Amino acid sequence: MEKKTVKKTTDGNNKKSSVINILLNISIFILTAIIIYMLYSIFVKFNFGSDKYVISENKEVASEIIQVDVLNGCGVGGVADRFTDFLRTKNVDVVGIKNYISFDVDETMVVDRTGNEANAKRIANLLGIKNDNIITQLNKDYFIDVSIIVGRDYFNLTPFK
């Protein structure tokens, strides 16, 4: 008896499976590259800290454009609008007008938000506020240079003269 050898043609299946294997290997390579990049990004963020607050380098010179928000701390209607109109005539960028957390502020204050005291002094001088009423509160969540909290002494300040 003779044995007959039967040749099976598996060229079609081999080609199909080799293409799938190549695509899977490419996918694994791409996913590995993405994971490595993400791990590197986390490493850089924690070691070099993007959360460090950058304080203005030159504290002696006021910025050309100072962004402020005006907060009504006295409770009198229209006071913040009057301050806003006055500041805008002096080329100050007023980006927000709102009420302060309370209406019992006696003296108007200028709050430096970026660490550039020259900006706060410039705003205080424009409004006729004493330098004693300039305080610094650095806050990386604020995107403004200076906050003005209008107190009950508003009628003694420049916008109302």
Side-chain angles (χ1 to χ4, degrees):
M1 260 206 229
E2 286 182 35
K3 284 190 177 180
K4 291 185 181 178
T5 56
V6 178
K7 276 190 174 179
K8 292 184 182 178
T9 56
T10 57
D11 290 340
N13 286 340
N14 283 341
K15 287 181 184 178
K16 202 183 243 186
S17 65
S18 67
V19 169
I20 291 173
N21 284 338
I22 290 172
L23 290 176
L24 287 174
N25 286 333
I26 291 172
S27 299
I28 290 171
F29 176 76
I30 291 173
L31 289 174
T32 303
I34 291 171
I35 290 170
I36 290 171
Y37 176 75
M38 291 175 69
L39 291 173
Y40 172 76
S41 297
I42 291 170
F43 173 77
V44 168
K45 179 171 174 110
F46 285 118
N47 283 332
F48 301 111
S50 65
D51 60 344
K52 292 181 182 171
Y53 190 64
V54 178
I55 296 175
S56 180
E57 294 172 7
N58 191 350
K59 296 182 180 186
E60 297 176 10
V61 178
S63 302
E64 194 172 317
I65 298 173
I66 301 174
Q67 292 185 327
V68 303
D69 65 344
V70 180
L71 308 172
N72 185 345
C74 65
V76 177
V79 172
D81 292 328
R82 182 96 176 247
F83 271 74
T84 298
D85 293 340
F86 175 79
L87 289 168
R88 286 184 176 157
T89 62
K90 302 295 183 186
N91 296 321
V92 175
D93 186 13
V94 180
V95 296
I97 306 168
K98 54 189 170 190
N99 289 328
Y100 188 58
I101 55 175
S102 67
F103 290 131
D104 60 353
V105 178
D106 290 326
E107 291 186 1
T108 302
M109 295 181 282
V110 175
V111 182
D112 174 19
R113 300 287 186 191
T114 61
N116 187 345
E117 196 174 333
N119 288 341
K121 285 182 179 180
R122 179 171 174 235
I123 298 299
N125 289 337
L126 284 173
L127 297 174
I129 298 171
K130 300 179 288 188
N131 283 344
D132 295 344
N133 289 351
I134 298 174
I135 60 173
T136 300
Q137 281 186 340
L138 302 180
N139 188 340
K140 67 179 179 179
D141 296 330
Y142 277 41
F143 298 108
I144 56 170
D145 300 311
V146 175
S147 292
I148 302 163
I149 303 170
V150 181
R152 293 183 185 135
D153 65 341
Y154 66 89
F155 52 87
N156 292 327
L157 301 176
T158 307
F160 283 87
K161 289 186 178 181

